[in-house]
Amino acid sequence: MSIRVGIMGYGNLGRGIECALKQNADMELVAVFTRRDPKTVQILSENVNVYHVDDAPKMKDEIDVMIMCGGSATDLPKQTKEYAQYFNVVDSFDTHAKIPEHFAAVDEAAKENGTVAMISVGWDPGMFSLNRLYANAILPSGSDYTFWGKGVSQGHSDAIRRVEGVANGKQYTVPVETALERVRSGENPELSTREKHTRECYVVAKEGADKAKIEAEIKNMPNYFADYDTTVNFITEEELVKNHAGIPHGGFVIRSGKTGWNEENNHIIEYSLKLDSNPEFTASVIVAYARAAYRMNKEGQKGCKTVFDVAPAYLSPASAEELRAHLL
Amino acid sequence: MSIRVGIMGYGNLGRGIECALKQNADMELVAVFTRRDPKTVQILSENVNVYHVDDAPKMKDEIDVMIMCGGSATDLPKQTKEYAQYFNVVDSFDTHAKIPEHFAAVDEAAKENGTVAMISVGWDPGMFSLNRLYANAILPSGSDYTFWGKGVSQGHSDAIRRVEGVANGKQYTVPVETALERVRSGENPELSTREKHTRECYVVAKEGADKAKIEAEIKNMPNYFADYDTTVNFITEEELVKNHAGIPHGGFVIRSGKTGWNEENNHIIEYSLKLDSNPEFTASVIVAYARAAYRMNKEGQKGCKTVFDVAPAYLSPASAEELRAHLL
């Protein structure tokens, strides 16, 4: 029998989950939940119903894992702990500073109700976190480096669009290749914010807007752009739609460390992602951890878990014997 | 109280374990065991005794984890299951085809005696296996690629040294950069053995030896060199000692996969290692898994485990709270 999955929230991430489930024969989408009028939500799957969120608790016995696809700012802090009362849940909560608080609240709800709640699943937090942990455990004497991109930052794109005179815009975070090379060489450099990433903006100006003023305002925006070398390119709406419609992302986690009696040998561990679609990749990670959540709960586990708590074998549909024979 | 570790076998790997333990404050080397006369074995640590292997079982209560540092061909198939009777053990058994058989034998011994026995720990098998598993679970529709090097292959170096007229030699396995680039581009190429790696040999010929004959014999050697583009460089013993004394290695595990309703988006997951010292890095991985073996056993677990069975948090000396706050 396949693992029955529900999707809570149907935006880019929810649609990504729907696509990922199609690639996993041991899992099955059974329902999508929305705060909108369900009749207005068109999903890709045939023969799967869309329900209002209020109907979710009634489907407690029909869903093995509920995947939470809301945002980290306001949705997940409320929803994950709420639905952990009824279901095993997985979320992609990504406000790094608030993870301990979110963990505590979700852990309580999950333990009380005997469910497994997997939080902060995706690639950062998620696969990048795992790689930081593995590399730190292996090389205790060393330095960590995380670079993001090349990819679209939603927050920075939103910031551009709030500038007066801007009709539309998109921002790419770009890792500085020379900084990457210095890290890979084992030099262990101390890198400033400006030395690690540049920011590339593609901006559609409103008719008659003062482009020099827009450019200056973007480049000097505190927190978002002032600490970076930023380039601003003015393009037409047509060009934006044609050349910048995707949501690519990616990045690099590198640990440079020493071993030897006198730490005479250097080692570089590098993990990198190059993603055509940030939400679809995030969704693919989440679906693998949904499988793990279901299995761990079947074994009697409960409470809040992160990627650090999940033995890798739980993620694969293959048996332990198959994994040892073919992937080890 | 720190985790008390024993080292069984004191070659390159055993010495690497000794160095790695020095970097981990929660672990402590308490004894080294050898088949040689213990008096002839000089170790780096002060105040640690060297014992004959026959004395190991007597130290059952003084050692929390025994790290097996013998070879995969003849030592580990006998030793790991034998010492799993007395200790939690970790080995680096790397004969991929025989892992299921080794697992079964070790599992029986460990389960009977209530110990945890972690096998095939290192980087391949080990970290590379983990990355294959994670990437396959995340991207079920895709292709796997593993490249090794640039690094010294002990087996191929030995093969060179067996050729008539050869006094000494060293072989580097080198990944083909253009093949790596084709994989990273998302092309999903089918690559032949010859297209993936080249082999570089540095050979010291005996005086008066026929170099052309040596070169031809190496290049045509079945299994080892015939399927590769091989270069043979004749050098002096002094050059070999000066420029080729190290044991560097490394490699790349790449998965290229598709997501999307019609698999329209491509993703590349890449994990790579660049290691100055293959045995010291392998040792560093093993020491992290020795910590895990000890903790899992403390929690009541027993039997044979591989890297697939170990939740990442067990590897780090930091608490779950610290990990969530700082690495997630």
Side-chain angles (χ1 to χ4, degrees):
Chain A
M1 209 187 75
S2 54
I3 302 170
R4 301 164 304 170
V5 177
I7 293 174
M8 176 68 62
Y10 194 74
N12 282 335
L13 184 61
R15 201 173 301 109
I17 299 289
E18 187 180 17
C19 294
L21 288 171
K22 191 183 172 192
Q23 294 183 311
N24 286 278
D26 61 330
M27 307 181 86
E28 176 193 4
L29 176 63
V30 297
V32 171
F33 298 91
T34 180
R35 279 178 300 212
R36 294 174 270 171
D37 175 356
K39 285 202 243 25
T40 67
V41 176
Q42 183 69 46
I43 66 171
L44 300 164
S45 306
E46 288 171 18
N47 307 319
V48 173
N49 289 331
V50 181
Y51 300 94
H52 191 268
V53 287
D54 293 345
D55 292 329
K58 287 181 242 166
M59 294 182 70
K60 194 175 165 359
D61 298 328
E62 289 155 64
I63 291 171
D64 296 314
V65 188
M66 183 72 89
I67 298 181
M68 311 303 302
C69 298
S72 294
T74 56
D75 299 332
L76 299 177
K78 285 187 56 177
Q79 290 185 329
T80 304
K81 67 183 178 195
E82 181 183 343
Y83 291 99
Q85 297 178 351
Y86 312 108
F87 306 100
N88 298 310
V89 295
V90 186
D91 82 16
S92 58
F93 185 77
D94 67 358
T95 312
H96 290 260
K98 294 190 174 166
I99 287 174
E101 186 183 325
H102 186 54
F103 183 94
V106 172
D107 193 45
E108 195 186 339
K111 280 197 178 134
E112 258 175 35
N113 295 281
T115 61
V116 165
M118 205 84 81
I119 64 161
S120 300
V121 179
W123 59 275
D124 195 4
M127 298 312 295
F128 274 19
S129 322
L130 270 183
N131 277 279
R132 286 188 281 263
L133 170 50
Y134 278 117
N136 273 271
I138 296 169
L139 297 174
S141 176
S143 307
D144 286 315
Y145 297 89
T146 303
F147 292 85
W148 293 273
K150 182 180 178 175
V152 172
S153 162
Q154 219 55 61
H156 289 80
S157 299
D158 290 346
I160 290 174
R161 288 190 289 259
R162 288 193 296 264
V163 170
E164 202 190 317
V166 170
N168 209 344
K170 204 138 188 184
Q171 194 266 187
Y172 296 92
T173 306
V174 184
V176 176
E177 194 59 40
T178 53
L180 270 168
E181 287 310 321
R182 287 178 63 194
V183 170
R184 288 181 182 135
S185 77
E187 187 194 318
N188 281 357
E190 293 247 2
L191 296 166
S192 68
T193 298
R194 191 176 299 274
E195 285 173 311
K196 289 180 70 186
H197 298 94
T198 57
R199 299 201 174 277
E200 282 178 15
C201 307
Y202 293 85
V203 178
V204 181
K206 286 181 183 159
E207 223 182 298
D210 180 345
K211 291 184 180 174
K213 188 162 164 276
I214 290 173
E215 181 168 343
E217 195 167 327
I218 292 173
K219 287 186 171 177
N220 295 314
M221 197 184 297
N223 303 320
Y224 287 91
F225 294 101
D227 298 335
Y228 298 85
D229 290 335
T230 301
T231 54
V232 176
N233 306 285
F234 288 97
I235 60 173
T236 64
E237 180 70 28
E238 292 68 42
E239 287 172 308
L240 192 79
V241 169
K242 187 178 160 221
N243 303 325
H244 303 282
I247 320 175
H249 219 313
F252 305 81
V253 172
I254 304 176
R255 187 159 175 90
S256 171
K258 306 274 185 194
T259 66
W261 195 248
N262 298 304
E263 303 206 330
E264 61 273 26
N265 286 313
N266 201 64
H267 306 275
I268 304 287
I269 304 174
E270 175 169 345
Y271 179 80
S272 68
L273 297 173
K274 203 176 103 191
L275 314 175
D276 274 0
S277 165
N278 184 354
E280 286 181 9
F281 187 82
T282 300
S284 297
V285 177
I286 290 173
V287 164
Y289 278 91
R291 176 183 291 123
Y294 171 77
R295 290 177 168 177
M296 290 167 76
N297 185 245
K298 274 274 172 207
E299 289 184 5
Q301 298 193 50
K302 60 185 181 176
C304 190
K305 311 281 176 193
T306 74
V307 294
F308 296 159
D309 306 310
V310 180
Y314 285 113
L315 302 171
S316 168
S319 70
E321 290 74 18
E322 286 172 312
L323 292 176
R324 284 194 295 271
H326 302 298
L327 288 183
L328 197 62
Chain B
M1 209 186 77
S2 54
I3 302 170
R4 301 165 303 170
V5 177
I7 293 174
M8 177 67 63
Y10 194 73
N12 282 334
L13 184 60
R15 202 173 301 111
I17 299 290
E18 187 181 17
C19 294
L21 289 171
K22 191 182 171 193
Q23 294 183 311
N24 286 279
D26 62 330
M27 306 180 86
E28 175 193 4
L29 176 63
V30 297
V32 171
F33 299 90
T34 180
R35 279 179 300 211
R36 294 175 270 171
D37 175 354
K39 286 201 247 16
T40 67
V41 176
Q42 182 68 45
I43 67 171
L44 299 165
S45 306
E46 290 169 18
N47 307 319
V48 173
N49 289 331
V50 181
Y51 300 94
H52 191 267
V53 287
D54 292 347
D55 293 329
K58 288 181 240 165
M59 294 183 68
K60 193 175 166 0
D61 297 329
E62 289 154 66
I63 291 171
D64 296 314
V65 188
M66 183 71 89
I67 298 181
M68 312 302 303
C69 297
S72 294
T74 56
D75 300 331
L76 299 176
K78 285 187 59 179
Q79 290 184 330
T80 304
K81 67 182 178 197
E82 182 184 343
Y83 291 99
Q85 296 178 10
Y86 311 108
F87 306 100
N88 297 309
V89 295
V90 185
D91 82 16
S92 58
F93 185 77
D94 67 357
T95 312
H96 290 261
K98 293 191 175 166
I99 287 174
E101 187 183 323
H102 186 54
F103 182 94
V106 172
D107 193 45
E108 196 186 338
K111 281 198 177 132
E112 259 175 34
N113 294 282
T115 61
V116 165
M118 205 84 81
I119 64 161
S120 301
V121 179
W123 59 275
D124 196 3
M127 298 311 296
F128 273 19
S129 322
L130 270 182
N131 277 280
R132 285 188 282 262
L133 171 50
Y134 278 118
N136 272 270
I138 296 168
L139 297 175
S141 176
S143 307
D144 286 315
Y145 298 89
T146 302
F147 292 84
W148 293 274
K150 183 181 177 174
V152 173
S153 162
Q154 219 54 63
H156 289 79
S157 299
D158 290 345
I160 290 174
R161 288 191 289 259
R162 287 193 296 264
V163 170
E164 202 190 316
V166 171
N168 208 344
K170 204 138 187 183
Q171 194 266 187
Y172 295 92
T173 306
V174 185
V176 175
E177 194 59 40
T178 52
L180 270 168
E181 287 310 321
R182 288 177 64 194
V183 170
R184 287 180 182 134
S185 76
E187 185 194 318
N188 280 358
E190 294 246 3
L191 296 167
S192 68
T193 298
R194 189 178 299 276
E195 286 173 310
K196 289 180 71 187
H197 297 93
T198 57
R199 299 201 175 274
E200 281 178 15
C201 308
Y202 293 84
V203 179
V204 181
K206 288 183 183 160
E207 224 183 295
D210 181 344
K211 291 184 179 175
K213 190 163 164 272
I214 291 173
E215 180 167 345
E217 196 167 328
I218 292 173
K219 288 186 171 177
N220 295 314
M221 198 185 295
N223 301 319
Y224 286 90
F225 294 100
D227 297 335
Y228 298 85
D229 289 335
T230 301
T231 54
V232 176
N233 305 285
F234 287 96
I235 60 174
T236 64
E237 180 69 29
E238 291 69 41
E239 286 173 307
L240 191 80
V241 169
K242 187 176 161 225
N243 302 324
H244 304 282
I247 321 176
H249 219 312
F252 306 81
V253 172
I254 305 175
R255 186 161 176 89
S256 171
K258 306 276 186 194
T259 67
W261 196 248
N262 299 304
E263 302 206 331
E264 60 273 26
N265 287 313
N266 201 65
H267 305 275
I268 305 287
I269 304 174
E270 176 169 344
Y271 180 79
S272 68
L273 296 173
K274 203 177 104 191
L275 314 175
D276 274 0
S277 165
N278 184 354
E280 286 181 9
F281 186 82
T282 300
S284 297
V285 178
I286 290 174
V287 164
Y289 278 91
R291 177 183 290 121
Y294 170 77
R295 291 177 167 178
M296 290 166 77
N297 186 245
K298 273 274 172 209
E299 290 183 6
Q301 297 193 50
K302 60 185 181 176
C304 191
K305 311 282 176 191
T306 75
V307 294
F308 295 159
D309 306 310
V310 179
Y314 285 113
L315 302 172
S316 168
S319 71
E321 291 74 17
E322 287 173 309
L323 292 176
R324 283 193 295 271
H326 302 297
L327 289 183
L328 196 65

